Amino acid sequence: MEKREIIKMEENYNSIGSLTFGEGGGGYTLSGMFDLCEAEKSSSLGFMELLGVQDISPCLFDFPHTLTATSSSSSTLLVPSAPTIIPTPAARKDISEALNQPATPNSSSISSASSEAINEEQTKTDNQDQDEGEEEHEDHQKTKKQLKAKKTNQKRQREPRFAFMTKSEVDHLEDGYRWRKYGQKAVKNSPFPRSYYRCTSTSCNVKKRVERSFSDPSVVVTTYEGQHTHPSPVMARPSHAAAALPPASTACATTNFAMPMPTPTTISHYHHHQQNHPFLDNLTPSFNFGYQCSTNSKTNTILHERRLCNLAGPSLLADHGLLQDIIPSHMLKQE
DNA sequence: CGAATTTGACCTGCGC
DNA sequence: GCGCAGGTCAAATTCG
């Protein structure tokens, strides 16, 4: 690692720490923020705990320079520092909205988006059982009514959520999982629509939202919600993918989560509710970034689908969930 | 023809 | 209560 600098979040990210590494124009940008479910906010669950990782070393930030081979931008890794949960209306806004409103300094990036995938699924199942045999129209009405009733009766369960800012010309970044688009909405104060995707795996409730930053149209904000309950369908990688990785990274196996890697510059924002800096204080070689050649021809040619691979081995893979493989293995080795 | 996307309608939460 | 905005549904359409 040539340079590592922790900087303060600016503008709307004031509550999020960040890291800068790389030298001059050869650096790269990575920032991130987290959003935790409401239940988790009240607990002391940490950023890494959310990921199932207990210890993380500072070498986490030692990203490969190949990441920015074509980039002249400086690099910043925003880590979950001390984002205080602000119970203000602004704090309840979505991450992406905050991103689109840089003119709102000091506003919290923590969102409180609702995620009811599980509940919805359960509701649907219940509906299917109860409404079987009825006409379709009545069926739909019942479904909606029951869905509403369930929502009012039980508090919303929110999935862990975090967003990545990725500089890319393509909106939907290849991350190794298959997604089905289920909606698109215009975003207030932004000319760019927001797309909603769900993981196509039947038992997987992971969702993601993709939108372009209003302040910087070259930046795609991807917000993941939930954890994959299955390995990536494109985990089987060609040998050249492994070749792009340091030896340690070849140990990549299955992951529960993959980071969008369109690059050359990826900015991810982690947001966490803890006052301390667990991400910095407890870093261990548990995260890995890997590189994989994209199988999606739609993405641009310089896109390296960098998979999130876990160096720690299969034993960790199954448990670390969302961010188990955010950190490239070579980062862990280089430090 | 099945899967994926599009898109208008609907639902929910929140602020006023 | 009303309106707005985010999020989801599902029929229609497109794609491979």
Side-chain angles (χ1 to χ4, degrees), chain A residues 78-121:
Chain A
L78 302 181
V79 299
S81 59
T84 303
I85 297 296
I86 304 173
T88 62
R92 308 178 78 86
K93 296 288 185 180
D94 191 276
I95 291 170
S96 55
E97 184 171 337
L99 292 175
N100 287 339
Q101 296 177 346
T104 311
N106 300 327
S107 67
S108 171
S109 295
I110 292 177
S111 68
S112 62
S114 63
S115 174
E116 307 167 318
I118 296 175
N119 292 339
E120 287 174 6
E121 199 153 287

Short mmCIF file of all heavy atoms in Angstrom, two decimals, chain A residues 78-121:
data_model
loop_
_atom_site.label_atom_id
_atom_site.label_comp_id
_atom_site.label_asym_id
_atom_site.label_seq_id
_atom_site.Cartn_x
_atom_site.Cartn_y
_atom_site.Cartn_z
N LEU A 78 -14.70 4.86 1.38
CA LEU A 78 -15.52 5.33 2.48
C LEU A 78 -15.91 4.14 3.33
O LEU A 78 -16.52 3.22 2.87
CB LEU A 78 -16.76 6.03 1.95
CG LEU A 78 -16.44 7.19 1.04
CD1 LEU A 78 -17.73 7.84 0.58
CD2 LEU A 78 -15.55 8.18 1.70
N VAL A 79 -15.52 4.20 4.52
CA VAL A 79 -15.81 3.09 5.40
C VAL A 79 -16.86 3.49 6.40
O VAL A 79 -17.06 4.67 6.69
CB VAL A 79 -14.55 2.63 6.14
CG1 VAL A 79 -13.51 2.17 5.16
CG2 VAL A 79 -14.03 3.75 7.00
N PRO A 80 -17.52 2.51 6.94
CA PRO A 80 -18.54 2.81 7.93
C PRO A 80 -17.91 3.33 9.19
O PRO A 80 -17.45 2.57 10.02
CB PRO A 80 -19.22 1.47 8.16
CG PRO A 80 -18.17 0.48 7.84
CD PRO A 80 -17.35 1.08 6.74
N SER A 81 -17.88 4.57 9.34
CA SER A 81 -17.25 5.13 10.52
C SER A 81 -18.26 5.31 11.63
O SER A 81 -18.70 4.39 12.25
CB SER A 81 -16.62 6.46 10.18
OG SER A 81 -17.59 7.34 9.71
N ALA A 82 -18.64 6.51 11.85
CA ALA A 82 -19.51 6.74 13.00
C ALA A 82 -20.81 7.39 12.60
O ALA A 82 -21.18 8.42 13.11
CB ALA A 82 -18.78 7.60 14.02
N PRO A 83 -21.51 6.80 11.74
CA PRO A 83 -22.76 7.39 11.33
C PRO A 83 -23.77 7.31 12.45
O PRO A 83 -24.23 6.25 12.82
CB PRO A 83 -23.20 6.53 10.14
CG PRO A 83 -22.56 5.21 10.38
CD PRO A 83 -21.28 5.50 11.12
N THR A 84 -24.08 8.41 12.99
CA THR A 84 -25.05 8.43 14.06
C THR A 84 -26.45 8.33 13.49
O THR A 84 -26.79 8.97 12.53
CB THR A 84 -24.94 9.74 14.85
OG1 THR A 84 -23.62 9.86 15.32
CG2 THR A 84 -25.92 9.77 15.99
N ILE A 85 -27.21 7.49 14.08
CA ILE A 85 -28.59 7.36 13.63
C ILE A 85 -29.34 8.63 14.00
O ILE A 85 -29.45 9.00 15.14
CB ILE A 85 -29.29 6.17 14.33
CG1 ILE A 85 -28.59 4.90 13.93
CG2 ILE A 85 -30.75 6.13 13.94
CD1 ILE A 85 -28.68 4.57 12.47
N ILE A 86 -29.79 9.27 12.99
CA ILE A 86 -30.51 10.51 13.22
C ILE A 86 -31.99 10.29 12.95
O ILE A 86 -32.40 10.09 11.83
CB ILE A 86 -30.00 11.62 12.30
CG1 ILE A 86 -28.49 11.79 12.51
CG2 ILE A 86 -30.73 12.92 12.58
CD1 ILE A 86 -27.87 12.74 11.53
N PRO A 87 -32.76 10.31 13.97
CA PRO A 87 -34.18 10.02 13.83
C PRO A 87 -34.96 11.18 13.24
O PRO A 87 -36.04 11.51 13.68
CB PRO A 87 -34.62 9.73 15.26
CG PRO A 87 -33.72 10.57 16.09
CD PRO A 87 -32.40 10.62 15.35
N THR A 88 -34.37 11.81 12.29
CA THR A 88 -35.06 12.90 11.64
C THR A 88 -35.67 12.41 10.35
O THR A 88 -35.32 11.36 9.84
CB THR A 88 -34.09 14.03 11.32
OG1 THR A 88 -33.11 13.51 10.41
CG2 THR A 88 -33.39 14.51 12.57
N PRO A 89 -36.58 13.16 9.83
CA PRO A 89 -37.17 12.77 8.55
C PRO A 89 -36.12 12.54 7.49
O PRO A 89 -36.24 11.64 6.68
CB PRO A 89 -38.05 13.97 8.20
CG PRO A 89 -38.41 14.56 9.51
CD PRO A 89 -37.19 14.35 10.37
N ALA A 90 -35.09 13.37 7.54
CA ALA A 90 -34.05 13.22 6.53
C ALA A 90 -33.37 11.86 6.65
O ALA A 90 -32.99 11.24 5.67
CB ALA A 90 -33.01 14.33 6.67
N ALA A 91 -33.25 11.43 7.91
CA ALA A 91 -32.59 10.16 8.13
C ALA A 91 -33.41 9.00 7.63
O ALA A 91 -32.91 7.92 7.40
CB ALA A 91 -32.31 9.98 9.62
N ARG A 92 -34.64 9.23 7.46
CA ARG A 92 -35.52 8.17 7.02
C ARG A 92 -35.57 8.11 5.50
O ARG A 92 -36.18 7.23 4.93
CB ARG A 92 -36.92 8.37 7.58
CG ARG A 92 -36.91 8.56 9.07
CD ARG A 92 -38.29 8.79 9.59
NE ARG A 92 -39.07 7.57 9.70
CZ ARG A 92 -39.05 6.78 10.75
NH1 ARG A 92 -38.29 7.07 11.76
NH2 ARG A 92 -39.77 5.68 10.78
N LYS A 93 -34.99 9.07 4.92
CA LYS A 93 -34.96 9.06 3.46
C LYS A 93 -34.02 7.98 2.97
O LYS A 93 -33.16 7.49 3.67
CB LYS A 93 -34.50 10.42 2.93
CG LYS A 93 -35.45 11.55 3.28
CD LYS A 93 -36.73 11.42 2.45
CE LYS A 93 -37.62 12.62 2.70
NZ LYS A 93 -38.87 12.53 1.92
N ASP A 94 -34.15 7.70 1.77
CA ASP A 94 -33.33 6.65 1.20
C ASP A 94 -31.93 7.14 0.96
O ASP A 94 -31.66 8.32 0.78
CB ASP A 94 -33.94 6.22 -0.12
CG ASP A 94 -33.28 4.96 -0.63
OD1 ASP A 94 -32.24 5.08 -1.28
OD2 ASP A 94 -33.84 3.90 -0.37
N ILE A 95 -31.03 6.19 0.97
CA ILE A 95 -29.64 6.48 0.71
C ILE A 95 -29.49 7.21 -0.61
O ILE A 95 -28.83 8.23 -0.72
CB ILE A 95 -28.83 5.18 0.65
CG1 ILE A 95 -28.76 4.56 2.03
CG2 ILE A 95 -27.44 5.44 0.10
CD1 ILE A 95 -28.19 3.17 2.01
N SER A 96 -30.10 6.69 -1.58
CA SER A 96 -29.93 7.26 -2.90
C SER A 96 -30.45 8.68 -2.96
O SER A 96 -29.92 9.51 -3.68
CB SER A 96 -30.65 6.41 -3.93
OG SER A 96 -32.01 6.24 -3.56
N GLU A 97 -31.47 8.92 -2.23
CA GLU A 97 -31.99 10.27 -2.23
C GLU A 97 -30.98 11.22 -1.64
O GLU A 97 -30.77 12.32 -2.13
CB GLU A 97 -33.30 10.34 -1.45
CG GLU A 97 -33.93 11.71 -1.52
CD GLU A 97 -35.31 11.70 -0.93
OE1 GLU A 97 -35.93 10.62 -0.88
OE2 GLU A 97 -35.78 12.77 -0.52
N ALA A 98 -30.36 10.76 -0.59
CA ALA A 98 -29.32 11.58 0.02
C ALA A 98 -28.19 11.82 -0.96
O ALA A 98 -27.63 12.90 -1.03
CB ALA A 98 -28.79 10.90 1.28
N LEU A 99 -27.91 10.78 -1.71
CA LEU A 99 -26.83 10.91 -2.66
C LEU A 99 -27.16 11.93 -3.72
O LEU A 99 -26.30 12.62 -4.25
CB LEU A 99 -26.59 9.56 -3.34
CG LEU A 99 -26.02 8.48 -2.43
CD1 LEU A 99 -25.95 7.17 -3.19
CD2 LEU A 99 -24.67 8.89 -1.94
N ASN A 100 -28.39 12.04 -4.01
CA ASN A 100 -28.79 12.95 -5.06
C ASN A 100 -28.97 14.37 -4.58
O ASN A 100 -29.32 15.24 -5.34
CB ASN A 100 -30.11 12.47 -5.68
CG ASN A 100 -29.88 11.24 -6.52
OD1 ASN A 100 -28.75 10.99 -6.94
ND2 ASN A 100 -30.92 10.49 -6.76
N GLN A 101 -28.75 14.55 -3.32
CA GLN A 101 -28.94 15.87 -2.79
C GLN A 101 -27.70 16.31 -2.02
O GLN A 101 -27.71 16.49 -0.82
CB GLN A 101 -30.17 15.90 -1.87
CG GLN A 101 -31.42 15.60 -2.66
CD GLN A 101 -32.61 15.54 -1.74
OE1 GLN A 101 -32.47 15.47 -0.52
NE2 GLN A 101 -33.79 15.58 -2.31
N PRO A 102 -26.68 16.50 -2.73
CA PRO A 102 -25.41 16.90 -2.09
C PRO A 102 -25.52 18.26 -1.45
O PRO A 102 -24.71 18.63 -0.64
CB PRO A 102 -24.42 16.93 -3.25
CG PRO A 102 -25.26 17.10 -4.47
CD PRO A 102 -26.57 16.40 -4.18
N ALA A 103 -26.53 18.98 -1.79
CA ALA A 103 -26.68 20.30 -1.22
C ALA A 103 -27.20 20.23 0.20
O ALA A 103 -27.44 21.23 0.84
CB ALA A 103 -27.65 21.12 -2.07
N THR A 104 -27.38 19.01 0.67
CA THR A 104 -27.88 18.84 2.02
C THR A 104 -26.81 18.27 2.92
O THR A 104 -26.83 17.13 3.29
CB THR A 104 -29.08 17.90 2.05
OG1 THR A 104 -29.99 18.33 1.04
CG2 THR A 104 -29.74 17.92 3.39
N PRO A 105 -25.84 19.08 3.23
CA PRO A 105 -24.76 18.60 4.09
C PRO A 105 -25.29 18.17 5.42
O PRO A 105 -26.30 18.67 5.88
CB PRO A 105 -23.83 19.80 4.20
CG PRO A 105 -24.69 20.98 3.92
CD PRO A 105 -25.73 20.50 2.95
N ASN A 106 -24.57 17.27 6.04
CA ASN A 106 -24.89 16.81 7.38
C ASN A 106 -26.12 15.93 7.43
O ASN A 106 -26.49 15.46 8.47
CB ASN A 106 -25.11 17.99 8.34
CG ASN A 106 -23.88 18.83 8.42
OD1 ASN A 106 -22.76 18.33 8.31
ND2 ASN A 106 -24.07 20.12 8.57
N SER A 107 -26.76 15.75 6.33
CA SER A 107 -27.90 14.87 6.38
C SER A 107 -27.42 13.44 6.45
O SER A 107 -26.43 13.07 5.87
CB SER A 107 -28.77 15.04 5.14
OG SER A 107 -28.07 14.60 4.00
N SER A 108 -28.14 12.65 7.18
CA SER A 108 -27.73 11.27 7.35
C SER A 108 -28.00 10.47 6.11
O SER A 108 -28.96 10.67 5.41
CB SER A 108 -28.48 10.66 8.52
OG SER A 108 -28.24 9.28 8.55
N SER A 109 -27.12 9.55 5.86
CA SER A 109 -27.30 8.68 4.70
C SER A 109 -28.05 7.42 5.06
O SER A 109 -28.35 6.61 4.23
CB SER A 109 -25.94 8.32 4.12
OG SER A 109 -25.33 9.47 3.62
N ILE A 110 -28.32 7.29 6.30
CA ILE A 110 -29.01 6.08 6.72
C ILE A 110 -30.44 6.13 6.24
O ILE A 110 -31.14 7.09 6.41
CB ILE A 110 -28.98 5.95 8.26
CG1 ILE A 110 -27.56 5.70 8.69
CG2 ILE A 110 -29.89 4.87 8.72
CD1 ILE A 110 -27.38 5.63 10.16
N SER A 111 -30.81 5.08 5.63
CA SER A 111 -32.16 5.03 5.13
C SER A 111 -32.98 4.08 5.95
O SER A 111 -32.49 3.30 6.74
CB SER A 111 -32.16 4.58 3.68
OG SER A 111 -31.76 3.24 3.62
N SER A 112 -34.23 4.12 5.74
CA SER A 112 -35.11 3.21 6.47
C SER A 112 -36.06 2.57 5.49
O SER A 112 -37.21 2.37 5.76
CB SER A 112 -35.89 3.97 7.52
OG SER A 112 -36.69 4.94 6.91
N ALA A 113 -35.53 2.25 4.37
CA ALA A 113 -36.37 1.65 3.35
C ALA A 113 -37.02 0.39 3.88
O ALA A 113 -36.46 -0.33 4.68
CB ALA A 113 -35.54 1.34 2.12
N SER A 114 -38.17 0.15 3.42
CA SER A 114 -38.87 -1.03 3.87
C SER A 114 -38.50 -2.22 3.05
O SER A 114 -38.31 -2.16 1.86
CB SER A 114 -40.37 -0.81 3.79
OG SER A 114 -40.73 -0.63 2.44
N SER A 115 -38.36 -3.32 3.70
CA SER A 115 -38.11 -4.57 3.00
C SER A 115 -38.99 -5.62 3.59
O SER A 115 -38.85 -5.99 4.73
CB SER A 115 -36.64 -4.95 3.14
OG SER A 115 -36.43 -6.21 2.57
N GLU A 116 -39.88 -6.10 2.81
CA GLU A 116 -40.83 -7.06 3.33
C GLU A 116 -40.84 -8.31 2.50
O GLU A 116 -41.84 -8.98 2.36
CB GLU A 116 -42.21 -6.45 3.34
CG GLU A 116 -42.24 -5.14 4.05
CD GLU A 116 -43.53 -4.42 3.77
OE1 GLU A 116 -43.97 -4.42 2.64
OE2 GLU A 116 -44.09 -3.87 4.71
N ALA A 117 -39.73 -8.56 1.94
CA ALA A 117 -39.68 -9.70 1.02
C ALA A 117 -40.19 -10.96 1.68
O ALA A 117 -40.98 -11.69 1.13
CB ALA A 117 -38.24 -9.88 0.54
N ILE A 118 -39.70 -11.18 2.87
CA ILE A 118 -40.08 -12.40 3.56
C ILE A 118 -41.55 -12.37 3.90
O ILE A 118 -42.29 -13.32 3.66
CB ILE A 118 -39.24 -12.59 4.84
CG1 ILE A 118 -37.78 -12.76 4.44
CG2 ILE A 118 -39.74 -13.75 5.64
CD1 ILE A 118 -36.85 -12.83 5.62
N ASN A 119 -41.94 -11.27 4.44
CA ASN A 119 -43.33 -11.14 4.82
C ASN A 119 -44.25 -11.27 3.62
O ASN A 119 -45.29 -11.90 3.67
CB ASN A 119 -43.58 -9.80 5.51
CG ASN A 119 -42.86 -9.75 6.83
OD1 ASN A 119 -42.54 -10.79 7.40
ND2 ASN A 119 -42.62 -8.56 7.33
N GLU A 120 -43.82 -10.62 2.55
CA GLU A 120 -44.63 -10.66 1.36
C GLU A 120 -44.76 -12.08 0.84
O GLU A 120 -45.81 -12.53 0.44
CB GLU A 120 -44.03 -9.76 0.29
CG GLU A 120 -44.21 -8.30 0.62
CD GLU A 120 -43.48 -7.44 -0.39
OE1 GLU A 120 -42.94 -7.98 -1.36
OE2 GLU A 120 -43.44 -6.22 -0.17
N GLU A 121 -43.64 -12.75 0.87
CA GLU A 121 -43.65 -14.11 0.37
C GLU A 121 -44.57 -14.97 1.20
O GLU A 121 -45.35 -15.76 0.70
CB GLU A 121 -42.23 -14.67 0.39
CG GLU A 121 -42.09 -15.86 -0.51
CD GLU A 121 -40.66 -15.98 -0.99
OE1 GLU A 121 -40.23 -15.20 -1.83
OE2 GLU A 121 -39.99 -16.89 -0.49
#
